[in-house]
Amino acid sequence: MKRKRYELLDTIRGIVLVSMIIYHATWNFVYIYGMDWDWYRSPGAYIWQQSICWTFIVLSGFCFSLGKRHLKSGLMVFGGGLLVTAVTLIAMPSNRVVFGVLTCIGSCILILTFTEKAWRKIPAEIGIAMSFFIFLLTKNINSGWLGLGSRKIIEIPGNWYKDYLTAYLGFPFPKFYSTDYFSLLPWFFLFVTGFYLYGIFQKYKILEKPFWEKGIMPFSFLGKHSLIIYLLHQPAIYGLQEIYFLILKYK
């Protein structure tokens, strides 16, 4: 039987994709073109940025169980992340992306592909609480500590932060730099949170409601092609902004 297409999931992904495009365009204006927008460095802008990445990663974990070819999907997304890294290292090394969100999501898909049976042994209600708690506990692991919110519980030894392998895992060395950095810790556990959220939806037959099959254009279209749009959006934005400033220069 042909699997249902949950258009509403594509719509949500498309809306977040538009939000991300606007966020990245704004980032370019501030950090590449030097626009003096202090609000972009405010807590509100941080919440905006976090809302984008949290939604993408939870949704990716949620949709894991809806897919078939996990190994292929994981390799494609991971490969997209490597492509972003290569292009930024060549074209704009000062704004390079190392271990960005695509590398992270691709890694999460691949890890879960080979460990799925073990995770499924845990009831969804326990799994979602456990994984989300670990995510919150490790949220500041890149900064050298475990805790909840701003409360430090455990300081992590500094010798754990030593090279690119440790940076990939969640322990960046002092001179590590990336404009888009999503290490396995803590983000893998947010991905797993989405995985268990799907389990709860399935258990209580929430996805059987007819509204999940209804999307909103053009957001649902964007959501269906999110990977290619993600790969192309930043060069497209940068090109348009260069044209804009060129027109202003010669106006």
Side-chain angles (χ1 to χ4, degrees), residues 198-233:
Y198 173 83
I200 291 173
F201 273 46
Q202 185 183 45
K203 181 177 179 179
Y204 295 101
K205 300 180 179 180
I206 297 174
L207 286 176
E208 292 184 8
K209 306 295 183 183
F211 62 80
W212 288 102
E213 299 177 36
K214 299 178 181 179
I216 302 173
M217 289 291 288
F219 298 113
S220 60
F221 174 83
L222 296 174
K224 290 174 185 175
H225 302 89
S226 56
L227 179 58
I228 188 65
I229 292 172
Y230 185 92
L231 291 173
L232 295 177
H233 84 280

Side-chain angles (χ1 to χ4, degrees), residues 131-185:
S131 55
F132 190 62
F133 175 77
I134 296 174
F135 167 71
L136 293 178
L137 186 67
T138 58
K139 184 67 169 59
N140 293 292
I141 200 168
N142 299 155
S143 300
W145 52 278
L146 302 178
L148 296 174
S150 59
R151 182 178 180 181
K152 293 184 181 180
I153 298 176
I154 300 174
E155 291 278 353
I156 300 173
N159 59 6
W160 288 27
Y161 299 77
K162 57 185 180 180
D163 52 36
Y164 279 99
L165 176 59
T166 64
Y168 171 69
L169 296 175
F171 312 98
F173 56 94
K175 292 185 179 180
F176 175 81
Y177 176 74
S178 176
T179 57
D180 183 42
Y181 175 47
F182 289 85
S183 51
L184 280 181
L185 291 174

Side-chain angles (χ1 to χ4, degrees), residues 34-104:
M35 305 294 284
D36 188 17
W37 295 345
D38 286 340
W39 64 267
Y40 191 71
R41 301 178 179 89
S42 69
Y46 174 75
I47 292 171
W48 178 18
Q49 184 263 349
Q50 290 291 290
S51 72
I52 296 167
C53 60
W54 280 44
T55 306
F56 267 137
I57 293 173
V58 169
L59 198 56
S60 297
F62 185 94
C63 292
F64 178 88
S65 298
L66 295 172
K68 293 181 179 180
R69 301 169 183 172
H70 297 136
L71 181 59
K72 179 181 178 181
S73 297
L75 291 173
M76 284 181 61
V77 178
F78 188 85
L82 291 181
L83 179 62
V84 170
T85 297
V87 170
T88 55
L89 282 173
I90 295 169
M92 46 176 64
S94 61
N95 292 306
R96 60 189 176 273
V97 174
V98 182
F99 307 136
V101 69
L102 289 185
T103 305
C104 178

